[in-house]
């Protein structure tokens, strides 16, 4: 029997200890009208050898083209040690560390992770993870609304330069709490938040402003002015950031006069495989003053009976298992194993290595822009500083151009025409540190070919 | 020692990063970081050694029996991990066209089909990333349903007092008022309390069956009828389906929407706190509102259905498509079990729980609902031990660690005093269960002889009992270098 250790003798002994004749008797409290069998659509059991063959076949069908898509998930190199260690049974098969004494591995690691995130973001405290970047932004919005008591409305400014999927997730999660998500547009030349559109909110009651840096287009927002503007309004600032970019960009804790209040984002770039979109992890950090409104697990340092240092979950009265309907969030299981991978990744790279990764991504994306710059019908959509990603405008429908490039073995970018029709035939491109000069040359060739065909069509 | 304390300036794991630091000249100074982030500077060997040693400070299923009630700590088959981590699966960008993901989408589609069959619902969405997110989706769907029919006066969700904390927290996140109802002395829902709570303000009820006290809710059909007659809908918290897998289906019980924790019943790892997956199933009434994306099969082709195909969906819960890697592990597990294996999961999870309950009762421990069968789990109340000897559930829990058993869930559900919620799962041997009984008896003897000794436990772990009050009072949430 797969994974069940019982011998015939065990079964007899156990039934007799219980005092029933057969296993079926143990189900006698289920009303007869509800007892059922599984329908034939549940397939019969296969062996490990058979399922291995099947999954290898399916994996082979999923051989991946060269990836130049970013848009929130990035194809970075993951050091071999990261997943070798992450999948050790002691990390992999442990539960949430409720019994602290029996979970010092997971707990100390989480404390180290929190320290690393504080270091990277320049904020004061970190939680031990949320589900992913999109849901972390939703939680940040809820947190800001709970926290900003000076604001008597529930109004959050959500620029359209924030990742469209993040905006949708936030909408789904906060919809039933009477929160207004107000959009703010972008300047068509710079690709950054439109300050004139923001001015319309000057003097109004605003609960929080969300700023993504680099923004969804890869453009750099003027975060200093934005933060100071928001704080003058009495609004809290939610920074949405890419952790790799923070190795070289100003961390949200240092934006403007007083820094952002809450920062969050997608942890995937830190050693998590692309894996069709998950599991990843969301991170969240904040200023000390807001910690009691933070959702999720938080690990703290303490001492044991003998005065030795140890680690434990703390501030649990924020959480659903203690506060039930008054909790800061319903989150329980989060993405612990992904945090294990991220902690290993950050340890292996250090600040210097992370800066090299970030700079290499940026340099490669710039090289990509240069390589396509003299292709007829391709031009960068925005002027001004950008990082790591960029928008290209094409003179033919993005969808068919990308489709043709995919045929040539290249994922040429993310099609923006659905979410940003005003940009015309536009795509978002990204070349991580894994892309070589040859890859970039191949990209340019594929793009040229695709556009030639598309124009003819 | 922390990884930061191994750090020395200038030490690097050079193999891990690009050869050189590329120039950033085109990025204006004002956008650039002024000083490097505080991260450790260590060698690769130091990293490997440090985290290997840390891992050894954990209890885990792979190293200890872990009878943590409500958490279903069964063996996580290695094949599930190996196959989910095939390089092509890991390399796929979430925005890669569907045609480069036909293998993974086929697995997800089949998983949807299998879970639909197992639960008796009309359809399944794999979007939620954990149980609590499944709950959020389900209750949001209930709300969307009522709103679509203009039933704005339905403002309350009924939740039993024994419910998991995520239930009431979820109802509030969806803008509902929580109405708690009592549990009867036999462990089932108190029908009088239910009838009293139901009314035109009722949006729905959240129930767990088998319930969090470890018994099957025998009047579930009547409950479903009453709630539906009152115009409400039924949410099934299927975090733990282990005891009824293949034996009874939530769809047949009358539930409108359910979630399953694939990281429990379907054996994906807990990873020290996730990731999980909270697959959601919906019946006729709520099917159209399920969260996106959902895999569809069109002829021989699989693709994601999103806003366009599912306009009534409550929307997206994650940036991309949920915890796909976890779903792949669950898929492999369902295939390794097959239909026969699923029956056996329920049978042996129930056999182990009832055996352990019988043995503990025979050893003189008080069972919270002694007249009932155990489902996949049951509760021992240590009220008598606490009163007569002074040894609480927490003391037993901590001393069990010394005997090499992870502690059961303590003090949950709240309505049973000094509760240990015990869930052995089907993958533990009889010897292991006998060892647990022996340890419980030894601890009781030890407490009778020397209470202070038991209160000092654990002794054999990396740390002794930790001061949680101090952790909360003198917050230390990250390491700071001493200057
Ligand atoms: C009965 C019950 N409901 C809900 C949950 C929440 O699931 P998750 O932790 O995956 O959010 C759990 C587990 O923690 C549970 O045991």
């Amino acid at each position: 029997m797969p994974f069940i250790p019982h011998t015939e003798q065990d079964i007899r002994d156990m039934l007799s200890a219980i005092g029933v004749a057969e296993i079926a008797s143990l189900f006698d409290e289920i009303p007869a009208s509800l007892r059922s069998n599984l329908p034939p659509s549940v397939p019969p059991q296969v062996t490990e050898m058979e399922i291995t063959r099947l999954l290898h076949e399916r994996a082979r069908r999923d051989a991946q083209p060269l990836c130049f898509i970013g848009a929130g998930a990035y194809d970075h190199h993951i050091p071999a040690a990261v997943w070798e260690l992450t999948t050790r049974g002691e990390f992999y098969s442990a539960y949430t560390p409720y019994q602290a004494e029996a979970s010092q591995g997971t707990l100390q690691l989480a404390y180290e992770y929190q320290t690393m995130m504080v270091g990277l973001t320049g904020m004061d405290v970190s939680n031990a993870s949320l589900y992913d970047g999109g849901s972390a932004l939703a939680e940040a919005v809820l947190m800001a609304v709970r926290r900003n008591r000076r604001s008597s409305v529930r109004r959050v400014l959500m620029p359209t330069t924030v990742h469209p999927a993040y905006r949708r997730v936030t909408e789904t999660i906060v919809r039933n709490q009477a929160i207004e998500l107000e959009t703010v547009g972008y300047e068509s030349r710079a690709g950054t938040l439109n300050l004139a559109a923001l001015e319309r909110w000057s003097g109004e009651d605003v609960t929080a402003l969300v700023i993504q840096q680099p923004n969804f287009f890869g453009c750099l927002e003027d975060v200093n002015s934005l933060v100071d503007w928001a704080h003058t309004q009495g609004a809290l600032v939610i920074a949405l950031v890419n952790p790799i970019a923070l190795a070289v960009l100003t961390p949200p804790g240092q934006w403007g006069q007083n820094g952002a209040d809450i920062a969050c984002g997608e942890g995937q770039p830190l050693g998590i495989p692309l894996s069709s979109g998950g599991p990843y992890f969301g991170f969240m950090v904040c200023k000390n003053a807001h910690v009691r409104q933070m959702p999720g697990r938080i690990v703290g340092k303490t001492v044991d009976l003998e005065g030795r240092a140890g680690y434990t979950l703390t501030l649990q009265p924020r959480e659903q298992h203690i506060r039930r309907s008054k909790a800061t969030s319903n989150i329980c299981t989060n993405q612990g194993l992904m945090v294990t991978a991220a902690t290993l990744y950050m340890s292996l790279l250090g600040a210097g290595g992370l800066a090299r990764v970030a700079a290499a991504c940026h340099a490669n994306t710039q090289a990509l822009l240069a390589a396509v710059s003299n292709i007829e019908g391709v031009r960068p959509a925005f002027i001004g500083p950008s990082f790591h990603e960029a928008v290209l405008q094409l003179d033919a429908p993005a969808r068919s151009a990308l489709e043709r490039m995919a045929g040539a073995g290249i994922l040429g970018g993310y099609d923006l025409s659905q979410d940003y029709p005003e940009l015309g035939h536009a795509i978002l491109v990204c070349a991580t540190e894994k892309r070589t000069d040859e890859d970039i040359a191949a990209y340019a060739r594929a793009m040229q070919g695709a556009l030639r065909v598309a124009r003819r069509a | 020692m922390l990884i930061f304390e191994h750090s020395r300036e200038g030490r690097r794991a050079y193999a891990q990063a690009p050869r050189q630091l590329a120039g950033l000249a085109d990025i204006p100074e004002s956008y650039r970081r002024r000083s490097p982030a505080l991260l450790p500077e260590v060698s690769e060997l130091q990293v490997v050694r440090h985290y290997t040693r840390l891992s050894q400070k954990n209890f885990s299923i792979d190293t200890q029996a872990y009878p943590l009630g409500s958490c279903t700590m069964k063996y996580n088959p290695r094949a599930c991990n190996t196959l989910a981590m095939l390089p092509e699966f890991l390399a796929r960008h979430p925005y890669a066209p569907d045609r480069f993901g036909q293998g993974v989408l086929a697995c997800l589609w089949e998983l949807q089909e299998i879970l639909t069959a197992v639960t008796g619902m009309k359809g399944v969405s794999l979007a939620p990333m954990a149980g609590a997110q499944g709950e959020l989706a389900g209750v949001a769907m209930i709300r969307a349903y009522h709103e679509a029919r203009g039933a704005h006066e339905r403002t309350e969700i009924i939740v039993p007092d024994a419910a998991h904390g995520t239930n009431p927290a979820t109802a509030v996140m969806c803008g509902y008022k929580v109405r708690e109802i009592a549990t009867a002395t036999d462990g089932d829902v108190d029908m009088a309390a239910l009838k009293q709570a139901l009314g035109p303000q009722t949006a729905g009820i959240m129930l767990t069956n088998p319930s969090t006290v470890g018994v099957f809710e025998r009047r579930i059909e009547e409950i479903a009828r009453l709630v539906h007659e009152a115009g409400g809908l039924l949410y099934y918290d299927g975090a733990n389906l282990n005891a009824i897998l293949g034996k009874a289906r939530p769809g047949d019980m009358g539930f409108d929407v359910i979630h399953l924790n694939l990281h429990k019943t379907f054996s994906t790892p807990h990873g020290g706190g996730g990731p999980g997956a909270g697959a959601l199933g919906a019946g006729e009434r709520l099917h159209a509102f399920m969260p996106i994306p959902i895999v569809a099969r069109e002829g021989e082709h699989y693709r994601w259905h999103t806003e366009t195909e599912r306009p009534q969906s409550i929307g997206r819960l994650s940036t991309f498509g949920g915890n796909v890697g976890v779903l792949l592990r669950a898929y492999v597990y369902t295939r390794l079990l097959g239909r026969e294996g699923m029956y056996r999961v329920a049978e042996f999870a129930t056999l182990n729980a009832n055996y352990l309950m019988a043995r503990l009762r025979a050893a003189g421990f008080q069972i919270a609902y002694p007249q009932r069968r155990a489902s996949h789990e049951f509760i021992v109340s240590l009220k008598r031990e606490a009163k007569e000897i002074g040894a609480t559930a927490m003391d037993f829990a901590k001393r069990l660690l010394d005997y090499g058993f992870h502690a059961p869930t303590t003090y949950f559900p709240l309505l049973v005093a000094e509760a240990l919620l015990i869930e052995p799962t089907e993958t533990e041997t009889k010897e292991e269960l006998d060892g647990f009984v022996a340890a419980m008896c030894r601890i009781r003897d030890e407490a009778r002889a020397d209470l202070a000794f038991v209160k000092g436990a654990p002794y054999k772990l990396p740390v002794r009992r930790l001061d949680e009050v101090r952790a909360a009072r003198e917050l230390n949430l990250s390491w700071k270098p001493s200057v």
Side-chain angles (χ1 to χ4, degrees):
Chain A
M1 293 187 283
F3 319 122
I4 292 174
H6 300 61
T7 64
E8 288 301 323
Q9 186 62 46
D10 289 339
I11 298 171
R12 277 193 296 276
D13 292 348
M14 293 170 85
L15 288 173
S16 113
I18 299 168
V20 294
E22 50 178 11
I23 291 180
S25 309
L26 301 175
F27 295 91
D28 56 10
E29 290 190 1
I30 302 181
S33 53
L34 290 179
R35 285 187 223 161
S36 64
N37 283 321
L38 290 170
S41 52
V42 179
Q45 173 182 323
V46 297
T47 63
E48 187 175 302
M49 188 168 68
E50 290 159 344
I51 190 72
T52 300
R53 190 182 310 131
L54 177 70
L55 273 269
H56 276 269
E57 269 167 28
R58 289 188 175 169
R60 261 196 307 278
R61 287 173 68 190
D62 286 3
Q64 297 303 310
L66 214 45
C67 180
F68 288 89
I69 312 178
Y74 301 93
D75 184 21
H76 294 297
H77 174 68
I78 302 174
V82 170
W83 284 88
E84 284 277 328
L85 288 167
T86 298
T87 51
R88 278 181 68 90
E90 300 94 325
F91 288 134
Y92 185 79
S93 72
Y95 201 76
T96 297
Y98 291 132
Q99 289 294 336
E101 297 83 356
S103 315
Q104 286 298 294
T106 292
L107 286 162
Q108 182 179 327
L109 183 142
Y111 179 84
E112 294 179 354
Y113 161 80
Q114 289 172 188
T115 305
M116 292 177 193
M117 293 315 291
V118 164
L120 208 50
T121 59
M123 305 288 285
D124 298 329
V125 287
S126 168
N127 73 7
S129 87
L130 298 167
Y131 302 130
D132 76 344
S135 63
L137 178 60
E139 288 280 11
V141 164
L142 294 173
M143 174 174 167
V145 168
R146 285 193 301 274
R147 175 65 191 154
N148 192 349
R149 297 217 190 76
R150 267 177 315 186
S151 168
S152 55
V153 294
R154 297 157 80 84
R155 177 183 295 142
V156 176
L157 303 186
M158 183 71 90
T160 52
T161 52
V162 169
H163 195 310
Y166 281 51
R167 286 186 269 137
R168 290 202 191 99
V169 172
T170 302
E171 170 74 29
T172 308
I173 294 175
V174 313
R175 178 184 298 133
N176 293 319
Q177 297 196 39
I179 292 168
E180 292 173 68
L181 298 173
E182 299 282 358
T183 53
V184 184
Y186 62 94
E187 308 207 14
S188 58
R189 298 229 332 125
T192 52
L193 205 152
N194 187 330
L195 298 174
L198 200 59
E199 273 310 316
R200 152 167 145 50
W201 298 101
S202 280
E204 300 272 325
D205 188 347
V206 172
T207 315
L209 167 68
V210 178
I211 309 170
Q212 181 172 359
Q213 178 82 327
N215 72 23
F216 183 60
F217 301 138
C219 301
L220 294 179
E221 301 281 2
D222 181 3
V223 290
N224 296 328
S225 318
L226 292 173
V227 166
D228 291 342
W229 177 87
H231 283 161
T232 317
Q233 300 289 303
L236 293 178
V237 171
I238 300 170
L240 177 60
V241 286
N242 174 336
I244 295 276
L246 289 182
V248 297
L249 297 184
T250 310
Q254 294 167 16
W255 292 359
Q257 292 292 314
N258 296 312
D261 298 282
I262 304 168
C264 62
E266 178 56 72
Q268 180 274 334
L270 300 170
I272 317 295
L274 289 168
S275 196
S276 289
Y280 297 169
F281 73 94
F283 61 86
M284 184 184 275
V285 281
C286 69
K287 288 289 168 66
N288 270 326
H290 311 316
V291 65
R292 276 163 216 281
Q293 288 301 335
M294 184 128 85
R297 314 280 185 205
I298 299 176
V299 173
K301 186 175 181 181
T302 185
V303 294
D304 74 357
L305 283 175
E306 292 171 14
R308 256 180 316 196
Y311 304 88
T312 181
L313 294 175
T314 194
L315 294 176
Q316 293 193 67
R318 297 167 300 113
E319 295 192 63
Q320 47 75 29
H321 61 285
I322 309 286
R323 287 297 291 283
R324 300 177 72 81
S325 61
K326 298 195 176 61
T328 51
S329 165
N330 69 343
I331 195 167
C332 178
T333 295
N334 44 97
Q335 308 277 120
L337 200 66
M338 302 297 121
V339 159
T340 307
T343 306
L344 280 152
Y345 179 85
M346 288 189 276
S347 301
L348 284 166
L349 281 138
L354 222 51
R356 286 187 186 196
V357 172
C361 293
H362 182 61
N364 281 347
T365 301
Q366 292 301 313
L368 180 80
L369 295 182
V372 297
S373 65
N374 42 27
I375 298 178
E376 194 198 327
V378 183
R379 59 184 187 87
F382 303 115
I383 48 158
S386 68
F387 185 79
H388 188 275
E389 282 190 275
V391 177
L392 295 176
Q393 281 172 321
L394 313 178
D395 68 352
R399 194 172 154 167
S400 52
L402 290 174
E403 198 44 53
R404 292 226 163 67
M405 291 179 79
I410 289 192
L411 297 181
Y414 176 76
D415 184 355
L416 294 170
S417 52
Q418 286 251 306
D419 289 303
Y420 303 94
E422 70 280 7
L423 289 176
H425 309 313
I427 60 174
L428 182 65
V429 296
C430 167
T432 66
E433 84 279 16
K434 281 173 75 176
R435 300 291 85 86
T436 63
D437 294 346
E438 294 84 72
D439 295 343
I440 290 169
Y443 181 97
R445 276 195 307 277
M447 171 70 84
Q448 191 155 27
L451 286 181
R452 205 181 301 126
V453 180
R455 241 178 268 125
R456 242 184 282 131
Chain B
M1 215 157 134
L2 294 165
I3 190 76
F4 297 94
E5 295 165 293
H6 293 289
S7 179
R8 293 295 176 274
E9 205 179 317
R11 191 179 281 157
R12 298 263 156 82
Y14 273 115
Q16 306 306 344
R19 279 211 183 76
Q20 61 214 358
L21 185 64
L24 293 166
D26 57 312
I27 299 180
E29 201 63 49
S30 60
Y31 292 97
R32 303 247 294 271
R33 186 166 191 125
R34 284 187 290 272
S35 57
L38 174 68
L39 291 178
E41 294 181 84
V42 284
S43 75
E44 181 165 339
L45 172 59
Q46 285 182 301
V47 171
V48 169
R49 197 174 278 163
H50 176 73
Y51 288 106
T52 300
R53 286 187 182 163
L54 271 194
S55 77
Q56 291 166 338
K57 296 185 177 186
N58 270 358
F59 275 35
S60 68
I61 302 173
D62 284 3
T63 49
Q64 278 92 4
Y66 216 121
L68 192 64
S70 202
C71 300
T72 316
M73 297 297 277
K74 60 166 83 176
Y75 172 58
N76 307 142
R78 281 284 152 186
C80 302
N81 184 55
T82 307
L83 297 176
M85 293 191 74
L86 289 174
E88 294 87 349
F89 292 147
L90 296 187
R92 182 166 183 268
H93 192 284
Y95 288 143
D98 292 339
R99 72 175 158 111
F100 298 105
Q102 289 298 296
V104 63
L105 291 176
C107 296
L108 300 187
W109 184 81
E110 287 175 27
L111 180 62
Q112 285 175 189
E113 292 295 299
I114 292 169
L115 296 179
T116 301
V118 163
T119 56
M121 305 305 285
K122 182 172 178 203
V124 161
S125 161
L126 301 172
M129 293 178 282
Q133 229 199 9
E135 294 176 36
L136 182 89
V139 176
M141 286 159 65
I142 291 177
R143 184 158 171 154
Y145 170 87
H146 289 309
E147 281 176 359
R149 319 169 95 210
H152 300 288
E153 73 289 356
R154 299 197 174 270
T155 53
E156 278 182 14
I157 291 279
I158 301 172
V159 177
D161 56 0
H164 195 265
T166 49
N167 294 185
T170 297
V172 168
M173 274 182 94
C174 292
Y176 281 119
K177 241 179 27 230
V178 174
R179 176 103 167 226
E180 272 208 357
I181 55 167
T183 300
T185 49
D186 63 2
D188 287 341
V189 163
D190 182 328
M191 294 304 279
L194 173 67
K195 285 178 191 152
Q196 210 181 10
L198 283 170
Q201 77 291 353
T202 303
I205 184 171
M206 299 180 83
L207 278 181
T208 309
N209 192 23
S211 70
T212 49
V213 305
V215 300
F216 191 88
E217 180 63 63
R218 290 166 295 190
R219 290 182 288 262
I220 183 61
E221 290 164 295
E222 189 188 344
I223 295 174
R225 187 175 52 75
L226 288 171
V227 174
H228 281 146
E229 276 171 13
L233 298 183
L234 285 92
Y235 184 89
Y236 180 86
D237 178 339
N240 312 300
L241 210 63
N242 232 29
I244 61 164
L245 200 57
K247 299 285 173 187
R249 308 192 305 167
D252 300 336
M253 298 175 202
F255 285 97
D256 298 290
V257 56
I258 75 169
H259 88 268
L260 306 177
N261 279 14
L262 301 186
H263 45 303
K264 292 184 179 174
T265 313
F266 293 95
S267 197
T268 69
H270 281 268
L280 178 134
E284 201 59 55
R285 294 182 182 86
L286 295 179
H287 189 253
F289 301 101
M290 291 200 296
I292 47 173
I294 295 176
V295 187
R297 180 177 158 156
E298 296 166 358
E300 286 305 301
H301 184 77
Y302 299 93
R303 70 182 187 95
W304 287 116
H305 276 185
T306 61
E307 288 86 352
T308 322
E309 297 83 5
R310 301 201 137 257
Q312 278 190 287
S313 164
I314 55 156
R316 286 174 187 273
L317 300 164
S318 70
T319 313
F320 303 106
N323 283 340
V324 175
V326 178
L327 301 170
L328 278 176
R329 285 170 175 80
Y331 170 69
V332 173
Y333 181 71
T334 60
R335 297 300 311 271
L336 284 169
L337 286 185
R339 199 178 321 128
E340 315 85 298
M342 292 194 192
Y343 296 128
R344 281 195 298 255
V345 163
E347 287 166 6
F348 287 89
T350 306
L351 178 68
N352 272 3
N354 279 281
Y355 173 72
L356 192 54
M357 180 169 87
R359 290 283 327 269
L360 286 167
R361 183 195 338 227
F365 288 99
Q366 212 173 327
I367 306 299
Y369 298 96
Q371 73 281 29
R372 302 295 304 271
R373 294 263 187 242
S375 57
H376 53 286
E377 61 189 352
F378 62 95
I379 302 173
V380 163
S381 167
L382 294 171
K383 199 163 79 184
R384 197 168 56 209
E385 287 74 6
K387 185 152 167 262
E388 290 172 10
I389 325 175
T392 62
M394 189 55 78
D395 298 329
F396 273 80
K398 297 296 183 197
R399 184 64 180 146
L400 274 169
L401 304 176
D402 279 334
Y403 285 106
F405 290 96
H406 193 280
T409 297
T410 50
Y411 302 101
F412 175 79
L414 301 166
L415 70 153
V416 177
E418 298 296 336
L420 289 184
L421 180 61
I422 305 175
E423 180 179 13
T425 83
E426 72 279 9
T427 55
E428 292 299 334
T429 59
K430 174 170 176 292
E431 300 91 277
E432 207 67 57
L433 306 185
D434 291 339
F436 182 82
V437 177
M440 287 290 289
C441 294
R442 289 264 293 276
I443 296 168
R444 187 174 49 194
D445 290 344
E446 286 171 349
R448 284 201 182 107
D450 183 355
L451 182 62
F453 174 76
V454 170
K455 290 212 172 280
Y459 296 94
K460 297 183 186 161
L461 275 74
V463 289
R464 298 277 306 278
R465 211 176 289 198
L466 288 163
D467 188 345
E468 296 194 1
V469 175
R470 173 168 162 158
R473 196 171 296 151
E474 300 168 26
L475 283 183
N476 176 340
L477 309 179
S478 63
W479 178 81
K480 307 214 167 35
S482 51
V483 264

